[in-house]
């Protein structure tokens, strides 16, 4: 996104930092270059590049950075087992401070989305926080969508961003219109509105920033909305990487070597079909030291029933034993009730342990230095350290007056 100063673009061409050494001291040049390099590292470092491609959806993205670092970002992640979040945004300005603001925005959106809010409330809470932490008056345009993978319902909210392109299977591309709402960060109280759209298998959704449609030819002509629709239409039968690459190739050819002054980012999603709700089984136990074997035996049976291999089952049982010992030590003096919830999805086993004891997050315990001799180590923390090493992921939250610890193991 370009930042204007009295109608004049303040971004400089690529070599402008060294263009006029009679006006700027070398140390100032070095400081400016260092700031831009730091901003570039932040921007590239926070962008996910592990693109999912499964039975329900495929995602691919590309960010073509400007000569000076801009503020584009994108993200995609599961808010829970059945809701996929996709987001694209653009922070005003360029350099280190906007890059930090971009990182904050992206983090807030993920936190609020994974807390279960709808797209409108995610942006409402994000905007309110940004407005309180914005001394330099940055603003962010953003488009956020949340897909219910069990129903194919896309709920989306637009905060001053470009309208995405929707391609129905077998049809020509068109813009998915909505109220643009207000940008994030500059106005404390904004009533963001959510719209819904039913996706069908084979539908494609293409998100982009204004660096695509506002790319300029050497003659000063904009790439524009119609050219974007045309290139998407010509490649609509391709997979997501080919569509994204075709857009970039077309934009580069249009610019014909003309230096682009803004990031050009594209995120494309193909919806392949709804998923079934993962089966969940729950069972309660009275936990004592004598009941460890019965609990871990049950967990092993559930893992085997879901197709886990022997090595994965053994590691899950070891991790579960450590967690049970932790609960029994910190939660109950003479034993107490625990609930074990098991489910499996996409070759990933989830085991959740719930107890009614006062809040206790074992993940906050300082990890032991296992390189030290045993006599020199601090006591505690070894069990959860082992759990982290054996499992693909471990998470904790306190909700409904219960400690809830979940381990995940990919197999």
């Amino acid at each position: 996104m370009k930042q204007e100063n009295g109608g004049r673009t303040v971004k400089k061409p690529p070599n402008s930092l060294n263009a006029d050494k009679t006006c700027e001291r070398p140390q100032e040049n070095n400081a400016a270059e260092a700031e831009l390099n730091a901003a570039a590292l932040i921007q590239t470092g926070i962008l996910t590049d592990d693109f999912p491609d499964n039975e329900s959806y495929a995602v691919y993205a590309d960010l073509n950075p400007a000569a000076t670092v801009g503020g584009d970002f994108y993200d995609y992640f599961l808010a829970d087992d059945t809701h996929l979040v996709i987001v694209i945004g653009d922070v005003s300005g360029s350099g280190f401070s906007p890059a930090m603001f971009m990182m904050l925005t992206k983090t807030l959106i993920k936190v609020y989305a994974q807390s279960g809010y709808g797209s409108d409330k995610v942006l409402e809470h994000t905007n309110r926080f940004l407005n309180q932490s914005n001394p330099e008056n940055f603003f962010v345009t953003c488009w956020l969508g949340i897909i219910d993978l069990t129903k194919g319902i896309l709920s989306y909210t637009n905060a001053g961003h470009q309208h995405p392109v929707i391609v129905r299977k077998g049809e020509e591309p068109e813009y998915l219109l909505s109220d643009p709402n207000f940008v994030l960060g500059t106005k404390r109280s904004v009533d963001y509105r959510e719209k819904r759209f039913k996706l069908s298998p084979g539908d494609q959704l293409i998100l982009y920033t204004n660096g695509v449609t506002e790319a300029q030819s050497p003659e000063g002509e904009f790439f524009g909305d119609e050219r974007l629709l045309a290139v998407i239409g010509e490649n609509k039968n391709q997979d997501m990487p080919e569509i994204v690459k075709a857009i970039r190739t077309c934009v580069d050819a249009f610019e014909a070597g003309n230096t682009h002054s803004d990031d050009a980012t594209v995120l494309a999603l193909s919806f392949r079909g709804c998923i079934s709700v993962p089966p969940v089984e729950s069972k309660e136990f009275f936990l004592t030291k004598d009941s460890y074997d019965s609990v871990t035996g049950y967990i092993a049976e559930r893992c085997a029933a879901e197709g886990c291999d022997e090595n994965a089952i053994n590691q899950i049982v070891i991790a579960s034993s450590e967690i049970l010992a932790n609960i029994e030590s910190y939660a109950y003096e003479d034993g107490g009730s625990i609930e074990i919830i098991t489910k499996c999805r996409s070759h990933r086993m989830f085991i959740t342990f719930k107890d009614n004891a006062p809040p206790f997050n074992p993940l906050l315990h300082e990890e032991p230095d296992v390189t030290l001799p045993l006599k020199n180590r601090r006591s505690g923390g070894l069990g959860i350290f082992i759990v982290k090493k054996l499992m693909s992921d471990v998470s904790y939250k306190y909700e409904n007056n219960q400690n809830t610890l979940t381990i995940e193991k990919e197999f």
Side-chain angles (χ1 to χ4, degrees):
M1 183 179 296
K2 298 178 182 178
Q3 186 178 28
E4 305 294 331
N5 184 7
R8 178 173 61 85
T9 301
V10 299
K11 281 193 171 186
K12 299 180 180 180
N15 297 319
S16 61
L17 291 174
N18 299 314
D20 188 0
K21 294 187 178 181
T22 62
C23 298
E24 296 184 68
R25 292 190 295 273
Q27 58 267 34
E28 293 175 339
N29 294 336
N30 293 336
E33 289 179 353
E35 179 177 322
L36 289 177
N37 288 336
L41 288 174
I42 291 172
Q43 184 179 38
T44 57
I46 68 170
L47 297 179
T48 309
D49 58 4
D50 182 16
F51 301 116
D53 188 341
N54 55 51
E55 70 279 3
S56 182
Y57 58 88
V59 177
Y60 192 81
D62 174 70
L63 188 154
N64 188 10
T68 54
V69 179
D72 281 12
F73 67 93
Y74 62 81
D75 203 0
Y76 46 89
F77 55 90
L78 287 169
D80 54 38
D81 291 339
T82 59
H83 290 83
L84 175 69
V85 180
I86 53 174
V87 60
I88 194 166
D90 188 0
V91 179
S92 61
S94 62
F96 184 78
S97 294
M100 293 297 293
F101 200 73
M102 171 184 62
M103 183 167 62
L104 174 61
T105 303
K106 183 173 177 289
T107 301
L108 288 170
I109 288 173
K110 188 167 188 176
V111 168
Y112 289 127
Q114 291 185 328
S115 297
Y117 292 110
S119 63
D120 52 350
K121 294 301 180 183
V122 170
L123 293 188
E124 180 181 317
H125 288 300
T126 299
N127 173 69
R128 184 175 294 116
F129 191 101
L130 291 176
N131 182 255
Q132 296 172 340
S133 310
N134 190 11
E136 299 186 64
N137 293 318
F138 297 122
F139 65 89
V140 186
T141 71
C142 178
W143 192 96
L144 171 67
I146 302 177
I147 302 172
D148 183 339
L149 297 174
T150 66
K151 300 176 182 178
I153 300 296
L154 166 67
S155 303
Y156 63 96
T157 300
N158 188 346
H161 199 77
Q162 287 69 38
H163 298 297
V165 175
I166 182 72
V167 187
R168 289 287 203 182
K169 185 177 182 180
E171 299 182 11
E172 293 303 309
E174 59 182 339
Y175 287 99
L176 184 62
L177 302 179
S178 63
D179 296 330
N181 295 299
F182 203 73
V183 296
L184 305 174
T186 62
K187 186 177 179 181
R188 175 171 172 77
S189 180
V190 179
D191 182 21
Y192 290 99
R193 294 171 295 280
E194 181 179 78
K195 292 197 69 174
R196 294 192 172 190
F197 185 86
K198 180 68 170 69
L199 294 170
S200 299
D203 288 353
Q204 300 169 344
L205 187 66
I206 293 89
L207 316 179
Y208 60 95
T209 58
N210 63 348
V212 174
T213 51
E214 294 180 9
Q216 289 183 282
S217 69
E219 295 74 32
E221 183 182 3
F222 289 114
F223 186 77
D225 297 337
E226 294 306 315
R227 284 189 179 88
L228 179 59
L229 287 180
V231 67
I232 293 173
E234 292 169 1
N235 294 275
K236 63 183 181 180
N237 295 322
Q238 302 295 322
D239 291 334
M240 294 302 94
E242 282 68 34
I243 291 178
V244 173
K245 292 171 184 176
I247 294 172
R248 179 166 182 174
T249 299
C250 194
V251 171
D252 287 345
F254 180 79
E255 290 179 317
N258 189 38
T259 301
H260 55 278
S261 59
D262 201 1
D263 294 345
T265 304
V266 180
L267 186 153
L269 174 138
S270 173
F271 182 72
R272 293 175 173 167
C274 297
I275 64 172
S276 57
V277 178
V280 177
E281 184 170 310
S282 173
K283 188 172 182 179
E284 290 192 5
F285 294 85
F286 188 81
L287 180 65
T288 65
K289 290 181 179 179
D290 296 331
S291 67
Y292 287 7
D293 288 345
S294 62
V295 180
T296 56
Y298 165 76
I299 291 173
E301 290 175 3
R302 289 289 300 126
C303 291
E306 295 293 351
C308 292
D309 57 78
E310 185 176 351
N311 183 57
I313 293 174
N314 289 337
Q315 292 185 351
I316 290 172
V317 167
I318 293 172
S320 298
S321 297
E322 296 292 345
I323 293 169
L324 294 173
N326 193 291
I327 295 174
E328 197 270 334
S329 298
Y330 290 97
Y332 303 122
E333 291 184 3
D334 300 312
S337 177
I338 63 167
E339 181 183 9
I340 305 296
I341 302 171
T342 59
K343 63 182 176 182
C344 181
R345 180 168 178 263
S346 300
H347 299 285
R348 201 172 184 93
M349 195 71 196
F350 298 80
I351 316 291
T352 297
F353 302 79
K354 290 188 174 184
D355 66 70
N356 300 310
F360 176 74
N361 184 357
L363 302 182
L364 297 179
H365 201 291
E366 184 178 351
E367 291 189 356
D369 185 352
V370 294
T371 63
L372 294 175
L374 186 60
K375 64 180 181 179
N376 295 336
R377 297 181 200 169
R378 293 182 179 180
S379 62
L382 184 59
I384 201 66
F385 174 78
I386 293 173
V387 172
K388 290 179 181 178
K389 292 298 182 182
L390 292 176
M391 296 296 98
S392 303
D393 195 18
V394 185
S395 61
Y396 168 88
K397 57 184 176 181
Y398 188 78
E399 61 179 4
N400 300 323
N401 297 318
Q402 289 183 306
N403 292 292
T404 304
L405 182 73
T406 301
I407 58 175
E408 303 175 26
K409 182 63 178 179
E410 189 172 359
F411 62 92

